[in-house]
């Protein structure tokens, strides 16, 4: 009943270990930052609020509308959460939503949860709040338009990065997954945009104080810059990737991470062997262990820094 | 709606049910980790991992096929992995000319495709077993003991606690829309797509305001009952010697599986 089976909740097994752990590290860094920021700017009262808001996003995903042929549009909520709660609280809220979807309903895996949180919580918050921050004090039409673009782009961005992760994990071919994912989500994103705009417009009319209260503490222009930067990246990559996937593959080749995409899982160490030991089973196992330890080391370092700051 | 409407917990008195939640979380995550680490096409070790899962199923008293029946949630995602069949790395198996494009399935591609499916299928089942044998509040406390940030676990606890209330609220909104949307069969009804989406957006806005105001009341009610920043539990959460034993046995088995998988 509460399932929103968009192909964005990646299950376990579809991403390789390196990509999974890399995105766990990124997500932990951002969530740690979000915790220390919300601790600083918001009071203790904020925790129950974020909890109930996370339940709100969850419940709001139930509210769908018939589109055509038995399908219905519904929404992810990442952009809306960041707009109405501010970016850091939005990130924490969406993290809780994705975590519960994965833990309780198996909608998305556990080892890949870092990637799922990043795609649906952090990226959407950055784009959603970033663009909203840029148009917040503009005339109403421009503001609502900006929010719509932000919501649409956040869906596209999530689909784009999901495709890239699948490709880098060697699970999908780029020329198939990109057009499929972006095509579907261009439509889903339209629903997301209309719902988000209507919801924000409704809140602006009935309780404008709520929007002001949540955003006054997060008035940094950095978000606008980050949001617009990421949006620009998405706008540049998406058409290139969907029209000419080999174009992206070419860039990847030039940048040198094509091998990771070609024969993932493990290409950090060449062919996954330790050079001195040659191509034996022992060498392969050792190489795997070194790779895992390396990522674990990054994770622990990031975790340390976060906990000392928080 | 009942407070436990979303609980996936299946009450029982089995060995697995009585295991400390921390041990269960660590074993479940290690199992999923181990699956991700196994090389493509290591069918023997995938089978061993499956045996481990079946054993856990049996010991939980929920029946051998318990997780199997619920394990197909991730299946739609298999479509995404389908394109792996055409990986350019392996030896070509056939050439399919579809007119607009030529598809060449390769042996490495097919191997990868089935490996991804099996990994995902095994991992999902372990996650299902974890939530089926652990009450959700215990699970959250286990995560807290495993150093998940307390702010986050508290938010998740609140989410879980109020999810059914807000779901009820969402249902009321849906029912209200339904009861105001009369239609005659054969006549055009329901407005434009744009209008329908806008109505839904207003409902989301309405739900937001109701949730926000409710969170305010909740917070005040909690303060008046002595809330001091975190949720308390009566469960002592102590790792007994038996929990350690099961934990170490399971991890040893998974290490063995890894070893077998890589020397193949």
């Amino acid at each position: 009943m509460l399932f929103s089976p968009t192909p964005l909740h990646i299950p376990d097994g579809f991403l390789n270990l390196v990509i999974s752990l890399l995105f766990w590290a990124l997500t932990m860094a951002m969530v740690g930052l979000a915790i220390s920021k919300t601790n600083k700017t918001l009071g203790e009262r904020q925790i129950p609020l974020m909890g109930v808001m996370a339940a709100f996003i969850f419940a709001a995903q139930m509210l769908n509308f018939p589109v055509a042929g038995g399908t219905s549009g519904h929404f992810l909520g990442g952009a809306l959460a960041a707009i109405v709660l501010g970016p850091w609280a939005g990130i924490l809220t969406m993290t809780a939503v994705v975590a519960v979807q994965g833990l309780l309903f198996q909608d998305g895996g556990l080892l890949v949860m870092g990637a799922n949180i990043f795609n649906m919580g952090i990226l959407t918050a950055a784009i959603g709040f970033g663009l909203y921050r840029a148009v917040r004090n503009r005339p109403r039409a421009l503001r609502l338009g900006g929010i719509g673009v932000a919501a649409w782009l956040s869906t596209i961005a999530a689909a784009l990065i999901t495709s890239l992760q699948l490709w880098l994990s060697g699970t999908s071919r780029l020329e198939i997954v990109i057009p499929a994912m972006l095509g579907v989500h261009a439509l889903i994103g339209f629903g997301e945009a209309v719902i988000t705009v209507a919801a924000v417009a409704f809140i602006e009319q009935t309780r404008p104080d709520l929007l002001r209260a949540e955003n006054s503490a997060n008035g940094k222009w950095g978000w606008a810059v980050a949001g617009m930067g990421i949006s620009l990246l998405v706008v540049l990559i998406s058409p290139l990737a969907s029209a000419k996937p080999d174009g992206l593959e070419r860039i990847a080749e030039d940048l040198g991470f094509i091998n990771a995409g070609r024969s993932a899982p493990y290409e950090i160490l060449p062919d996954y062997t330790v050079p001195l030991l040659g191509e034996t089973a022992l060498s392969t196992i050792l190489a795997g262990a070194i790779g895992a330890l390396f990522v674990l080391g990054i994770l622990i370092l990031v975790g340390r820094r976060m906990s000392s700051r928080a | 709606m009942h407070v436990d409407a979303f609980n996936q917990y299946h009450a029982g008195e089995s060995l697995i049910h009585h295991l400390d939640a921390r041990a269960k979380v660590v074993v479940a995550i290690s199992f999923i980790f181990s699956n991700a680490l196994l090389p493509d096409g290591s069918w023997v070790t995938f089978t061993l991992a499956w045996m481990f899962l079946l054993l856990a199923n049996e010991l939980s008293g929920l029946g051998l096929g318990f997780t199997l029946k619920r394990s197909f949630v991730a299946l739609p995602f298999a479509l995404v992995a389908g394109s792996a069949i055409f990986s350019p790395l392996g030896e070509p198996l056939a050439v399919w000319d579809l007119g607009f494009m030529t598809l060449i399935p390769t042996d490495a591609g097919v191997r990868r495709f089935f490996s991804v499916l099996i990994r995902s299928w095994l991992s999902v089942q372990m996650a299902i077993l974890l939530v089926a044998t652990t009450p959700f509040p215990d699970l959250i406390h286990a995560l807290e003991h495993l150093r998940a940030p307390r702010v986050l676990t508290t938010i998740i606890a609140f989410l879980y606690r109020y999810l059914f209330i807000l779901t009820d609220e969402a249902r009321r909104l849906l029912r209200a829309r339904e009861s105001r949307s009369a239609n005659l069969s054969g006549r055009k009804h329901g407005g434009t797509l744009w209008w329908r989406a806008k109505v839904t957006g207003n409902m989301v806005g309405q739900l937001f305001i109701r949730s926000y105001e409710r969170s305010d009341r909740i917070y005040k009610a909690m303060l008046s009952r002595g809330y001091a920043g975190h949720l308390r539990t009566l469960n002592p959460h102590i790792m007994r010697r038996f929990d350690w034993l099961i934990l170490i046995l399971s991890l040893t088995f998974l290490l063995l599986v890894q070893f077998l998988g890589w020397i193949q």
Side-chain angles (χ1 to χ4, degrees):
Chain A
M1 168 185 37
L2 280 184
F3 285 121
S4 50
T6 51
L8 285 180
H9 293 81
I10 308 170
D12 277 319
F14 282 77
L15 295 187
N16 73 35
L17 206 56
V18 175
I19 299 286
S20 306
L21 293 181
L22 181 72
F23 276 92
W24 255 123
L26 278 173
T27 298
M28 276 168 66
M30 285 305 284
V31 169
L33 206 58
I35 289 173
S36 67
K37 290 277 180 189
T38 43
N39 272 347
K40 229 176 277 169
T41 52
L42 312 163
E44 172 202 79
R45 188 225 162 302
Q46 215 59 30
I47 291 177
L49 171 70
M50 282 191 278
V52 177
M53 281 302 129
F56 152 72
I57 295 286
F58 224 119
Q61 291 180 347
M62 274 182 78
L63 301 173
N64 53 7
F65 60 98
V67 176
T71 59
S72 61
H74 47 173
F75 107 135
L76 297 168
L80 181 68
I83 290 169
V84 294
L85 297 173
W88 298 115
I91 286 177
L92 289 183
T93 301
M94 285 308 287
T95 301
V97 170
V98 176
V100 171
Q101 280 169 340
L103 267 176
L104 199 56
F105 300 104
Q106 282 80 48
D107 203 7
L110 303 182
L111 191 59
V112 297
M113 192 182 279
N116 280 333
I117 292 172
F118 187 86
N119 301 350
M120 286 180 282
I122 295 172
L123 205 60
T124 50
I127 293 181
F129 185 78
L131 292 192
Y132 173 66
R133 178 64 187 80
V135 296
R136 193 167 72 194
N137 301 319
R138 308 277 150 209
R140 184 180 148 86
L142 188 60
R143 190 170 60 229
L144 292 182
I147 291 170
V149 171
W152 187 76
L153 263 183
S154 70
T155 316
I156 297 287
L160 180 66
I161 193 158
T162 304
S163 315
L164 291 179
Q165 286 159 350
L166 287 167
W167 169 57
L168 286 173
S169 296
T171 307
S172 297
R173 294 292 303 281
L174 195 65
E175 65 265 38
I176 298 175
V177 72
I178 287 261
M181 288 286 271
L182 289 189
V184 169
H185 285 90
L187 292 176
I188 292 179
F190 172 72
E192 179 92 9
V194 181
I195 291 179
T196 306
V197 169
V200 173
F202 183 87
I203 297 166
E204 268 185 359
Q205 266 169 6
T206 41
R207 291 286 304 270
D209 53 312
L210 294 188
L211 284 176
R212 268 200 300 278
E214 294 309 329
N215 284 322
S216 58
N218 303 290
K220 302 262 164 58
W221 266 101
W223 276 101
V225 175
M228 285 193 280
I230 298 172
S231 305
L232 196 65
L233 215 59
V234 172
V235 169
L236 287 178
I237 293 178
S238 298
L240 176 69
S242 33
K244 284 186 127 191
D246 8 335
L248 194 65
E249 209 136 353
R250 177 84 140 286
I251 294 171
E253 205 159 356
D254 293 345
L255 291 174
F257 65 90
I258 189 70
N259 284 338
R262 274 279 164 72
S263 60
Y266 318 105
E267 288 279 349
I268 284 182
L269 298 161
D271 284 321
Y272 220 41
T273 56
V274 176
L276 280 179
L277 292 169
E279 218 168 316
T280 61
L282 178 70
S283 166
T284 314
I285 294 173
L286 210 60
I290 293 172
L293 278 180
F294 175 71
V295 178
L296 194 70
I298 296 180
L299 277 173
I300 291 172
L301 271 180
V302 171
R304 279 270 168 79
R305 294 217 37 196
M306 285 308 125
S307 56
S308 67
R309 208 180 297 169
Chain B
M1 195 180 269
H2 191 261
V3 60
D4 268 347
F6 296 110
N7 205 348
Q8 310 289 310
Y9 178 63
H10 289 67
E13 294 295 327
S14 74
L15 185 148
I16 306 272
H17 283 83
H18 285 293
L19 214 55
D20 187 274
R22 264 164 294 180
K24 279 188 272 190
V25 169
V26 171
V27 171
I29 303 264
S30 308
F31 181 79
I32 295 169
F33 195 91
S34 158
N35 290 337
L37 200 58
L38 283 175
D40 284 356
S42 49
W43 313 121
V44 178
T45 40
F46 282 143
T47 314
L48 278 178
W50 186 44
M51 293 293 162
F52 181 75
L53 182 79
L54 285 180
L55 179 70
N57 258 318
E58 188 53 36
L59 289 178
S60 73
L62 297 171
L64 269 181
F66 175 79
T67 54
L68 181 69
K69 272 179 270 169
R70 293 160 177 77
S71 65
F72 299 106
V73 286
L75 211 58
F77 221 87
L79 284 177
V80 177
S83 59
I85 293 175
F86 313 110
S87 155
L89 278 177
E91 297 293 316
L93 296 174
V95 177
W96 298 338
D97 201 345
L98 299 182
F100 59 99
M101 67 196 293
T102 316
L103 293 175
I104 305 170
T106 60
D107 59 346
V110 171
R111 202 158 58 225
R112 153 138 301 192
F113 174 66
F114 284 107
S115 300
V116 165
L117 284 197
I118 290 173
R119 280 192 198 110
S120 153
W121 182 71
L122 290 173
S123 305
V124 155
Q125 292 195 60
M126 191 48 103
I128 290 171
L129 191 65
L130 175 66
V131 289
T133 58
T134 318
F136 198 69
D138 279 1
L139 199 61
I140 294 170
H141 274 284
L143 293 179
E144 213 162 275
H145 283 296
L146 294 169
R147 303 289 159 87
R150 177 163 253 170
V151 177
L152 210 54
T153 53
T154 312
I155 293 175
I156 290 176
F158 273 106
L159 158 59
Y160 182 69
R161 177 66 184 78
Y162 291 101
L163 182 56
F164 79 102
I165 295 180
L166 295 190
T167 307
D168 266 350
E169 197 83 73
R171 281 198 176 155
R172 274 197 285 279
L173 286 165
L174 285 170
R175 196 159 59 227
R177 180 178 69 178
E178 200 82 339
S179 59
R180 284 162 181 77
S181 311
N183 61 63
L184 284 171
S185 54
R187 301 283 285 277
K188 195 179 173 302
H189 58 83
T192 61
L193 190 62
W194 167 261
W195 179 81
R196 267 179 273 166
K198 207 182 138 212
V199 168
T200 311
N202 287 340
M203 287 160 70
V204 171
Q206 177 69 262
L207 185 65
F208 170 78
I209 289 170
R210 288 188 196 176
S211 311
Y212 194 99
E213 286 169 353
R214 188 185 286 272
S215 83
D216 222 33
R217 292 201 298 278
I218 289 169
Y219 181 63
K220 280 173 189 143
M222 286 173 64
L223 274 189
S224 67
R225 285 163 180 79
Y227 176 68
H230 67 271
L231 302 172
R232 289 159 206 271
T233 171
L234 285 175
N235 190 331
H237 289 284
I238 296 167
M239 285 282 283
R240 296 156 302 163
R241 200 170 290 170
F242 180 68
D243 297 320
W244 282 110
L245 181 70
I246 296 284
L247 178 64
I248 290 167
L249 278 180
S250 309
L251 294 185
T252 314
F253 178 80
L254 291 177
L255 273 178
L256 192 72
V257 165
Q258 280 304 315
F259 183 71
L260 288 177
W262 282 99
I263 58 169
Q264 261 180 2

